[in-house]
Amino acid sequence: MKDSLQKPNIPVYIALSVGGILMLFPFVWMILTAFKTNAEAMQIPPVIFPSEWKIDSFLQAMESLPFPKLYLNTALMIFFRILCAVVFSSMAGYAFAKIEFPLKKVLFGIVLLQMMLPSQIFIIPQYQMLAKLGMTETIFGLVFPGLVSAFGTFFLRQIYLGIPDEIGEAAQLDGCNRWKTFVSVMLPLTWSGIAALSVFTAVFAYGDLMWPLIVNTDVNMMTLSSGLSTLNGQFVTNFPVLMAGSVLAMLPMLILYMIFQRQFIEGVAMTGGK
Amino acid sequence: MNSKKRNRSDMFWGYLMVAPTILGLLILNIYPFIETFIRSLSKTKAFGKYEFQGLMNYQEMFTSEEFWKATWNSIWFCVLTVPVGIFLALLLAVLLNAKIAGRGIFRTIYFLPMVVAPAAVAMVWKWMFNAEFGIINSIFGTEIRWLTDPKIVLITCAVVSIWSSVGYDAILLLSGIQNISPYYYEAASLDGAGKVKQFFCITVPMVSPTLFVVIIMRLMASLRVYDLIYMMVDQANPALTDAQSLMYLFYRESFIAGNKGYGSAIVIWTVFLIAIVTALQFIGQKKWVNYEV
């Protein structure tokens, strides 16, 4: 095409690079600060590189927060939220897209209603329910609001609507019942949708702050996000420790992002608009 | 299989397959929605119990200065973040759409804040905006109290919010832009339209349905902003009331002060506010969103 033969577009490069530096700088500064001593970090005028790369701040951050547990809690919360969202939403998404049954529109209306309401409107009663079950300070508590996903149902229904009816009908003529058609014929056709939903669920569960802060107040049961916010109160002026904590908290997701960046960006673009 | 039998079997499988989701939504969302509404009309008592009392919470809320300030802060935060953020995202999407080498790397970089928890993002910006030792005041040689000056604190938060969301919004807009046929641009070039004119006369109208969705999403997110401000402006900050959003106030009232009835009234008010803003957008869209193509 003509476009691909264009000469390198210098103004575009300059604009994107300036913006790119603005995007990257906070991360660079976070890492540089984490390796400085507190005195060095507060020097005026500021020094850019630490004179000696010290890991003391990382050790201090790990002493005040049980990072291995935070990693585990966050990973478990994300795993179960993805599992629930994918399994239940696939089933419901398929049924809403491909099966006719009475009251289908009303039931789907419930899904749409949940999507339109901000999650904070559910928080107080959800917390009370969880407290009544005696399930605060547990992994189940962290997963609780994500046991089912209205968004996932809506999203996967769209994916199933895009699959031609003939495919399922052929399987049914071969004697498969609805469940068998769903599991062995339809479900395997939706992997890209499932991947997108998983990325979406993971990113939002990982970033969520209010819910984990409310349900799990024991530092051993916190997520990376809520744990980090307690560090914030503990080391008000010790910035190298705060930065070291932030680096430790963002590392796992960052590594995953570096490996699966295509899936991340496409996943979010696919699920976009929520 | 005869059709009657098949309908019965379809009904069975249909209900069975939606059952977990529907039951979950009823218990986790629909019931809580109703309960929050009732709670907002009730007095909070010990052990999560409550007692109906009419509009007292709303009366208290509407006469509270802190509440009105929080409402104003939430709206002001939208005004600060949405227009600038959306404009920058659209610009970025157009730049990322240019056929240049390495645009995959740029895409990866701009998307980066999305995969980092807001808590960590807020932490580093708080450090950079530190009035005494922060790098930003050092670079510009200023002594601005970014996080404690009542007039500036929300602008600071808005900057961070735009920084975090611009890449995400741009990726969404980019997929809209990529659907525009190149022939429009070729025709415009032949007619002598410059890049700027093409942007306003082709790109903006053609991407307007996606743009509309992104604007609605960003407005809703900004009206219920919480985590960023919570992390940047702690509860001992003297500028707290000047930065406190509705959802921050909701969190403090419900879970720190323990006044869940009052908190429920705040959240109902926020939903009301979001509904009005969204409705206005849907009315306004007829003037500028183009569904023709």
Side-chain angles (χ1 to χ4, degrees), chain A residues 84 152 184 204 248:
Chain A
C84 290
S184 49
F204 280 82
L248 290 173

Side-chain angles (χ1 to χ4, degrees), chain A residues 20-172:
Chain A
I21 291 168
L22 287 176
M23 296 313 284
L24 282 179
F25 182 75
F27 296 107
V28 174
W29 197 239
M30 182 193 276
I31 294 166
L32 289 176
T33 305
F35 285 103
K36 288 174 189 167
T37 62
N38 198 19
E40 206 173 11
M42 300 227 234
Q43 223 160 295
I44 296 176
V47 281
I48 296 175
F49 294 102
S51 57
E52 215 182 314
W53 294 72
K54 285 185 181 296
I55 57 160
D56 299 25
S57 301
F58 287 92
L59 298 177
Q60 224 177 319
M62 290 202 278
E63 243 167 64
S64 3
L65 271 186
F67 270 97
K69 282 191 179 136
L70 300 188
Y71 285 133
L72 183 70
N73 296 342
T74 310
L76 287 174
M77 169 184 73
I78 290 176
F79 173 75
F80 284 113
R81 280 196 183 201
I82 290 178
L83 189 72
C84 290
V86 167
V87 171
F88 296 143
S89 304
S90 287
M91 283 164 55
Y94 169 75
F96 279 125
K98 296 292 180 199
I99 306 177
E100 288 307 319
F101 52 92
L103 293 179
K104 188 164 109 166
K105 287 222 168 83
V106 178
L107 295 179
F108 194 64
I110 295 177
V111 174
L112 293 178
L113 179 68
Q114 196 276 357
M115 279 176 63
M116 277 186 284
L117 294 169
S119 62
Q120 283 90 352
I121 204 166
F122 315 123
I123 276 189
I124 294 174
Q126 281 175 343
Y127 171 74
Q128 299 290 2
M129 271 188 250
L130 198 70
K132 254 183 218 157
L133 292 170
M135 296 293 270
T136 55
E137 315 291 349
T138 61
I139 298 293
F140 177 78
L142 293 174
V143 180
F144 192 59
L147 283 175
V148 292
S149 166
F151 172 72
T153 305
F154 176 82
F155 174 66
L156 290 178
R157 173 180 167 269
Q158 296 293 105
I159 304 274
Y160 280 110
L161 284 176
I163 301 174
D165 285 342
E166 288 78 15
I167 293 177
E169 277 160 16
Q172 279 182 297

Side-chain angles (χ1 to χ4, degrees), chain A residues 183-196:
Chain A
V183 174
S184 49
V185 180
M186 300 297 268
L187 189 67
L189 296 174
T190 63
W191 283 125
S192 64
I194 290 176

